[in-house]
Amino acid sequence: MRPEIPDHPGPDTSSLLISDLEEALLAVDRVRAGRIIEATCAASSPVSCIETLIVPVLEEIGEKWEQGQVALSQVYMSGRISEEIVATMLPPGSPERITQPKIAIAVLEDHHTLGKRILLAVLRAGGYEVTDYGAGVTVDGLVERVIQDRIEILLISTLMLPAALRAKEAVTRIKEAMPEARVIVGGAPFRFDADLWKETGADAVGRSASDTLALVRGMAGAVVS
């Protein structure tokens, strides 16, 4: 049995708390996950708590999925539970969210949504406000919305190779109108061909939810600064 959570956890307990939170999320135990986060974050800001506790745990769960140690459903539920808890700590519209860059995600010309739902949950659990453009988005529709919304970081997900190749047109047109925009592509075609993302003109490729979260964190920091 795990030890009780101290009222004011210090450095010596942080590793254990991270392990406890990971265990609670993988067990889909929202109550215990909430207790761990509440106790750990009592003396810090929501953003600091997210960065030092929640994000590392989600990244670890993502890495374990890549290694075949956890199920995809566990990755999804971990993200959803964390997203719900973060929403109470850092509600939409709070000043700390408003100062973030404008981020959007879309599934280009495909109608699969599981990968997008997982990534969206993980990003929101990481404290980011993300506009969901949905699935089956056309190149014309995507370019129009990104320019209209002045999106600074765009995530494009694809399932089939034709859609991945069409991403090149979308990226080119977006970059022509908004050179400062950053684009991350992801999905099955980019995992099968490690260099395919470079042909699209994107700034990076996200090979997993945890990998993409790290990319967004880096890009968001550069945009805000």
Side-chain angles (χ1 to χ4, degrees):
M1 179 179 294
R2 294 283 185 182
E4 288 300 311
I5 302 166
D7 292 334
H8 299 285
D12 292 340
T13 62
S14 59
S15 295
L16 180 58
L17 289 170
I18 286 175
S19 177
D20 278 355
L21 178 57
E22 179 182 336
E23 182 180 282
L25 291 175
L26 291 177
V28 197
D29 189 341
R30 192 198 184 287
V31 173
R32 178 160 178 78
R35 286 183 57 224
I36 294 169
I37 293 172
E38 180 182 359
T40 309
C41 302
S44 64
S45 70
V47 171
S48 175
C49 179
I50 289 166
E51 291 181 348
T52 59
L53 176 65
I54 299 174
V55 169
V57 170
L58 292 175
E59 289 178 340
E60 177 68 19
I61 290 174
E63 290 174 4
K64 287 188 175 180
W65 173 72
E66 292 179 7
Q67 297 165 4
Q69 298 179 30
V70 302
L72 192 58
S73 59
Q74 290 176 296
V75 178
Y76 176 59
M77 289 307 301
S78 295
R80 284 301 303 272
I81 292 171
S82 299
E83 178 187 352
E84 292 170 3
I85 295 171
V86 167
T88 66
M89 299 166 52
L90 197 64
S94 69
E96 289 166 294
R97 284 188 186 259
I98 291 172
T99 57
Q100 295 176 359
K102 293 184 177 180
I103 305 172
I105 186 171
V107 179
L108 186 64
E109 299 186 348
D110 286 319
H111 293 276
H112 74 291
T113 60
L114 179 59
K116 177 178 68 66
R117 290 202 307 269
I118 292 172
L119 180 55
L120 192 57
V122 169
L123 288 173
R124 286 176 173 167
Y128 294 102
E129 197 64 27
V130 184
T131 299
D132 183 4
Y133 287 158
V137 181
T138 65
V139 170
D140 289 342
L142 180 60
V143 172
E144 180 180 352
R145 292 198 65 178
V146 168
I147 295 174
Q148 176 181 307
D149 296 341
R150 304 305 299 174
I151 296 300
E152 295 166 280
I153 300 176
L154 173 67
L155 298 101
I156 300 177
S157 177
T158 64
L159 180 63
M160 305 299 289
L161 180 59
L165 296 176
R166 289 277 284 165
K168 179 178 181 178
E169 180 184 347
V171 174
T172 298
R173 291 169 57 183
I174 290 169
K175 292 281 191 178
E176 287 175 351
M178 300 169 56
E180 71 282 2
R182 296 292 175 263
V183 181
I184 301 172
V185 294
F190 300 104
R191 289 195 295 272
F192 295 143
D193 184 341
D195 295 321
L196 180 61
W197 71 275
K198 298 177 183 178
E199 298 180 23
T200 68
D203 296 282
V205 58
R207 304 192 187 282
S208 67
S210 58
D211 180 40
T212 305
L213 175 59
L215 290 170
V216 169
R217 291 176 73 193
M219 290 181 179
V223 170
V224 171
S225 62

